[in-house]
Structure formats: C-alpha cells, structure tokens
Amino acid sequence: MTRRRWIAEHWDEATATIIGAQAEHMARVLRAQPGTEADVVAGGHVFHAQVVAVSPKEVRFNLVAELEADPALPVTLVLAIYKFDHMEWALEKATELGVAGIAPVIAKRTEKYLALAADKRAERWRRIVHESAQQSRRSDVPILYDPAPLSARVRAASAATRIVLAEQERTTTLRNALDEAIAASESEMPSLEIAIGPEGGWAPEEEALFDANGWRATSLGPRILRAETAAIAAMAVVASCLE
Ligand code: SAM
C-alpha cells in the first residue's frame, strides 16, 4: 500500500517533526500511533519513517531509510495576479506538474483590490502549494515568492532562459524556444522563467519592458487561453521537453 507522504517542518539527522494542521490531521483524523509508517520529506530528501510520538500539536518520526527523490522541473512561473480562485487553481496544478517556484506579480491590468490584498493572501498560497506538493508526493515544496511589481521581476538579473507567454505571438512557439534553450545549454536542464499575463493580457508598455530586458515572446497556439490554462499548458510543454 502507498504510504502517506508528509513534509516535515523540523528535522535533524535521525528524526523529523510535523506541526500545526498536518499534525492535527494525522493525530485526530488518521489516528496515527507510535509505529505507524509514513514517507517523510525532510530538507528535500524523502525517507521511509516511523511515528514515535503523536499529539494534535506535533507528530515526531524516526527516519528509517532514505528513498529516491524526484527533482522539481527547473521552472519558475511568473504569474500576474488575477482572480484569486482561478489563480489558486493554477498554483495547485503547477505544483502537481513539478514547478520549482511561483512569483506572483502585480501587472498593469491586475485589479487594484487584488493587488492590495495580495500580501495577505500569500500565506494561503504557501499553504496551497504545501498541500499540493504533499498530495502529489513531491520531495520538495515550490518556493512561493512575495508578491512584487512586475517591473522588478522583469528587470532583476537572472541566469535563467526568460520567456513571456503572449497570445499575439505568431512565429515562436514555447516548444521552439525550449528546444533552442536545451540545444544551447551545457547541462540538460536549463533554468526557465515563464511569465503569464492577467485576464486582460499584458499592456503594450509591459510587452516593451519584457522585450527590452531580453524576455522572449512565445505562443501556446492560435487559441486564447485563460491564464490558468496557459500556466498548466506551459508546465505540460516544459515537462514533455525536459523529462
Ligand atoms: N489579452 C487577452 C484578452 O483579454 O483578450 C487574453 C489574455 S489571456 C486570458 C491571459 C494570459 O494567458 C496572456 O497574457 C498570456 O500570457 C497567456 N496566454 C493565453 N493564451 C495564450 C496563447 N495562445 N499563447 C501564449 N500565451 C497565451
């Protein structure tokens, strides 16, 4: 039987601990006991583990043996902030598909009230990616960066191949851009940053900013996708190229 996987908050060489809602669930709902077996992720490594102490506040494990881990895809999604419920769906699914990081950014067409609420919402976004990583049996949790203005992210120095998804691009597909990045890369896995616009799309001055800072415009095909669909489709294309 597949063992439940937990992502530990604290660990040392031989033990690991989960706290808060995870511990409460394990203690009250799953009624874990000393001796219960589980997989535990500690510091990016996955272990076969055994419960040694249970309370609704804290569950402690002995780490028995290290298991093979599954590395994240080296891709950070730069996601313009838009309707929270749609965006959160994208966070969950991108995590399942192996994203390494998600950077929520405030774009020109991000609704003002969403931009104002984003800082507070980031805690919930971190919980969503944590739960999704656990549910999809990942060995790490994607980094959820603090919300920031789009221009700061676009201008920041980066060694990654930088791609902006733009529905009006007709020549270069995401697949073409990735094939070129892989051919040019000395390692098999080039790091990628992929930016996805809000519901209203990128403003012309944002397109110019991407262009001036070396981001390459790419297409996901002739149809206009919702931002969350674009995020999932981009992750699927990356996975098919890199895995
Ligand atoms: N500008 C559009 C409008 O309001 O008619 C739609 C923007 S679309 C809903 C949101 C974002 O998804 C875009 O900014 C782009 O990043 C991405 N996107 C959607 N369809 C795409 C496509 N076919 N190719 C590349 N990117 C796409």
Side-chain angles (χ1 to χ4, degrees):
M1 197 180 78
T2 312
R3 292 187 291 267
R4 276 292 287 258
R5 184 171 290 195
W6 304 90
I7 298 175
E9 273 89 9
H10 308 293
W11 61 88
D12 57 29
E13 274 176 16
T15 65
T17 311
I18 58 171
I19 57 174
Q22 295 201 90
E24 186 164 354
H25 185 76
M26 197 167 184
R28 291 201 205 282
V29 181
L30 303 177
R31 299 183 184 283
Q33 300 291 328
T36 299
E37 300 201 357
D39 286 351
V40 173
V41 176
H45 299 266
V46 191
F47 296 87
H48 174 202
Q50 223 171 24
V51 172
V52 284
V54 190
S55 82
K57 289 203 164 142
E58 180 179 294
V59 177
R60 200 151 39 94
F61 301 87
N62 270 344
L63 302 178
V64 177
E66 188 168 345
L67 304 172
E68 210 174 301
D70 47 327
L73 292 170
V75 49
T76 298
L77 286 185
V78 176
L79 198 54
I81 294 168
Y82 66 107
K83 273 192 203 127
F84 286 162
D85 51 344
H86 290 228
M87 197 180 147
E88 287 167 5
W89 191 83
L91 299 183
E92 187 184 302
K93 301 302 164 202
T95 301
E96 286 173 36
L97 286 160
V99 75
I102 298 168
V105 290
I106 298 161
K108 194 112 194 145
R109 293 182 180 150
T110 294
E111 300 276 0
K112 278 250 153 11
Y113 74 100
L114 295 177
L116 289 172
D119 275 335
K120 268 198 175 160
R121 196 78 173 193
E123 259 333 287
R124 178 177 154 84
W125 295 340
R126 292 198 173 92
R127 277 203 305 280
I128 289 172
V129 298
H130 189 288
E131 279 164 21
S132 177
Q134 199 158 260
Q135 177 272 329
S136 55
R137 298 179 62 76
R138 283 184 55 160
S139 54
D140 59 352
V141 178
I143 300 168
L144 195 297
Y145 294 91
D146 288 334
L150 174 71
S151 58
R153 186 85 204 183
V154 173
R155 290 197 179 103
S158 166
T161 298
R162 307 181 105 183
I163 288 172
V164 52
L165 294 183
E167 65 277 11
Q168 63 279 17
E169 172 61 34
R170 286 286 165 265
T171 320
T172 309
T173 63
L174 176 59
R175 176 89 210 196
N176 297 151
L178 293 180
D179 285 346
E180 284 176 25
I182 291 167
S185 161
E186 281 169 18
S187 70
E188 266 178 64
M189 289 274 220
S191 292
L192 305 166
E193 277 185 77
I194 301 181
I196 298 153
E199 277 179 307
W202 301 115
E205 56 269 45
E206 291 173 329
E207 287 165 8
L209 183 72
F210 279 116
D211 197 37
N213 286 278
W215 293 66
R216 185 154 186 207
T218 70
S219 165
L220 283 171
R223 287 161 290 276
I224 305 240
L225 309 174
R226 290 178 112 160
E228 63 272 26
T229 315
I232 309 314
M235 284 303 301
V237 173
V238 171
S240 80
C241 287
L242 295 188
E243 285 187 332

